[in-house]
Amino acid sequence: MALTAVHISDVPNLDQVPETTASLSSLFSPRFSKGVDVGRIGVKPPKFLVVGHRGSGMNSLQSSDRRMKAFKENSILSFNSAAQFPVDFVEFDVQVTKDDCPVIFHDNFILSEENGTLSEKSVTELSLSEFLCYGPQREPSKVGKSLFRKAKDGEVLSWNVERDDSLCTLEEAFQKVNSSLGFNVELKFDDRIVYQQEHLIHALQSILKVVFEHAKDRPIIFSTFQPDAALITRKLQSTYPVFFLTNGGNEIFYDVRRNSLEEGVKLCIEGGLQGIVSEVKGILRNPGAVSKIKEAKLSLLTYGKLNNVPEAVYLQHLMGIEGVIVDLVQEITEAVSDMIKPLKEQGEDEILMERDKQIRAKAKPQFAENELSFLLKLVPELIQ
């Protein structure tokens, strides 16, 4: 697609988007205390959030860890399985088919074997009926097309998991997933394409239409790696917060807005976004960015493999990060429950006394020698 500048001021508002901005009490679960309105001041969750990555965790088909292949990622089964644990949100990837239906799928392409030959088709160039014909089918009498997946090293693997499930639409997720579970909707676009403004607007409107028709009281956070998509989503609606996803400088892209935490903060401030979701290594390599993000009154969540290590999650809590996206939902929710006890509503002195009691009562987290060495290298920078 040709390079076309996106003029945010020209983006039309959606007719169905409410005028009012949601408060924190509607963005997070009912058990949370009331908070401030969403806006330039950011979204400040009243507890440390745990978000299930693609539901109960991403599928890593090359991994020897069975937990990474327990449930088909981005499926109704995976979302509801995550809901059995005290996660606040599930994160999933939304793309739009060629007939304008938002579907949940991470990869840009679907791989299948047809007549002994491997085929590769873009998700966004399939119709909804074509998309749903892959993998297990809702109707027992039907047999779906095979599903394969290409690993980062190029190896093609059969997409086999212990508990499989059908592909699904965004609307189905709203209808079939536990209504108390929040949705972190990642607006998925292909990194290799420079999108025209009209394409982004059309796709985002299709997604927002489903959200506003079916979300009801469910907490919603939008996030995306595509800078213009983030800005447009914020322009199209003011009900739900929009977070900018960034690799935090771990990878380099043609769009400089994606290449550092500093550029991410700048984008959020200029576009009125509410927060950043960074790859955790980007934060640990640049811990000073946490205070800058807080000074900008932005929320900060992280993602990445290190978030499956309880000690790394605990360190982020100490740094003031407000939540983590994880694959090992059960293990990390249990660790967070043990290490980070939520405090009751009380005065400042009582909070300090309660924290002191908790610190004294709780044994120190156990670090492996290599983990401790890694964390100790960060301590001087964190103190500074």
Side-chain angles (χ1 to χ4, degrees), residues 289-339:
V290 176
S291 59
K292 294 179 181 178
I293 292 170
K294 286 183 172 294
E295 289 170 4
K297 297 182 179 179
L298 298 170
S299 290
L300 175 60
L301 307 177
T302 67
Y303 73 94
K305 293 181 179 179
L306 274 176
N307 283 351
N308 294 320
V309 180
E311 290 81 3
V313 171
Y314 183 65
L315 176 65
Q316 293 178 70
H317 170 65
L318 296 178
M319 294 171 68
I321 292 167
E322 290 149 311
V324 290
I325 300 174
V326 307
D327 293 300
L328 305 183
V329 169
Q330 179 176 357
E331 291 81 353
I332 298 303
T333 53
E334 289 176 353
V336 167
S337 177
D338 288 340
M339 294 189 297

Side-chain angles (χ1 to χ4, degrees), residues 125-361:
E125 293 178 357
L126 296 172
S127 67
L128 175 61
S129 60
E130 290 171 332
F131 171 78
L132 293 177
C133 76
Y134 292 92
Q137 300 295 291
R138 297 285 182 208
E139 299 179 30
S141 60
K142 291 186 177 181
V143 177
K145 295 181 179 179
S146 61
L147 268 178
F148 289 80
R149 193 173 211 179
K150 186 178 293 184
K152 288 187 176 181
D153 62 5
E155 183 181 2
V156 176
L157 302 163
S158 180
W159 202 333
N160 295 323
V161 294
E162 292 185 6
R163 297 188 62 184
D164 214 338
D165 197 15
S166 306
L167 301 183
C168 65
T169 66
L170 178 60
E171 181 176 341
E172 281 183 291
F174 279 113
Q175 295 170 342
K176 299 178 180 180
V177 175
N178 188 313
S179 61
S180 67
L181 189 63
F183 283 175
N184 174 191
V185 180
E186 180 182 338
L187 309 166
K188 184 81 175 182
F189 295 94
D190 193 333
D191 289 339
R192 298 168 297 179
I193 296 176
V194 179
Y195 290 96
Q196 296 180 356
Q197 173 184 345
E198 292 77 11
H199 178 91
L200 290 175
I201 294 172
H202 186 78
L204 293 169
Q205 286 179 326
S206 298
I207 295 170
L208 289 172
K209 183 176 185 294
V210 173
V211 171
F212 279 100
E213 286 179 355
H214 299 281
K216 298 180 181 178
D217 295 328
R218 189 187 298 272
I220 304 290
I221 293 175
F222 291 113
S223 64
T224 182
F225 284 103
Q226 222 289 345
D228 293 322
L231 298 175
I232 292 172
T233 303
R234 183 68 180 95
K235 177 69 176 178
L236 287 174
Q237 60 86 44
S238 60
T239 300
Y240 301 113
V242 181
F243 283 37
F244 179 56
L245 270 161
T246 175
N247 292 96
N250 293 308
E251 297 180 52
I252 301 300
F253 300 89
Y254 75 90
D255 191 328
V256 296
R257 296 173 294 180
R258 298 188 60 183
N259 291 338
S260 69
L261 286 167
E262 291 75 15
E263 286 292 336
V265 171
K266 182 180 176 182
L267 177 76
C268 289
I269 293 173
E270 293 178 351
L273 308 184
Q274 285 86 10
I276 285 178
V277 185
S278 173
E279 215 288 338
V280 60
K281 289 184 290 185
I283 294 292
L284 296 181
R285 289 171 177 162
N286 184 18
V290 176
S291 59
K292 294 179 181 178
I293 292 170
K294 286 183 172 294
E295 289 170 4
K297 297 182 179 179
L298 298 170
S299 290
L300 175 60
L301 307 177
T302 67
Y303 73 94
K305 293 181 179 179
L306 274 176
N307 283 351
N308 294 320
V309 180
E311 290 81 3
V313 171
Y314 183 65
L315 176 65
Q316 293 178 70
H317 170 65
L318 296 178
M319 294 171 68
I321 292 167
E322 290 149 311
V324 290
I325 300 174
V326 307
D327 293 300
L328 305 183
V329 169
Q330 179 176 357
E331 291 81 353
I332 298 303
T333 53
E334 289 176 353
V336 167
S337 177
D338 288 340
M339 294 189 297
I340 308 168
K341 300 291 187 181
L343 299 175
K344 298 178 181 179
E345 291 185 10
Q346 50 196 320
E348 185 175 346
D349 292 338
E350 291 177 293
I351 289 175
L352 293 174
M353 291 177 63
E354 181 69 21
R355 283 179 177 165
D356 184 62
K357 289 179 182 178
Q358 291 179 12
I359 291 171
R360 292 175 185 275

Side-chain angles (χ1 to χ4, degrees), residues 20-40:
T20 57
T21 299
S23 66
L24 211 63
S25 58
S26 65
L27 292 173
F28 298 99
S29 74
R31 67 181 182 274
F32 293 172
S33 60
K34 292 183 178 180
V36 294
D37 285 344
V38 175
R40 285 290 302 280

Side-chain angles (χ1 to χ4, degrees), residues 39-74:
R40 285 290 302 280
I41 55 178
V43 181
K44 300 300 177 186
K47 67 187 288 289
F48 188 79
L49 300 180
V50 178
V51 181
H53 186 210
R54 306 183 199 173
S56 295
M58 65 178 287
N59 294 154
S60 180
L61 302 177
Q62 292 175 308
S63 175
S64 59
D65 190 337
R66 292 179 61 183
R67 295 173 298 180
M68 306 303 287
K69 294 173 281 189
F71 301 96
K72 172 65 73 60
E73 68 176 34
N74 278 335

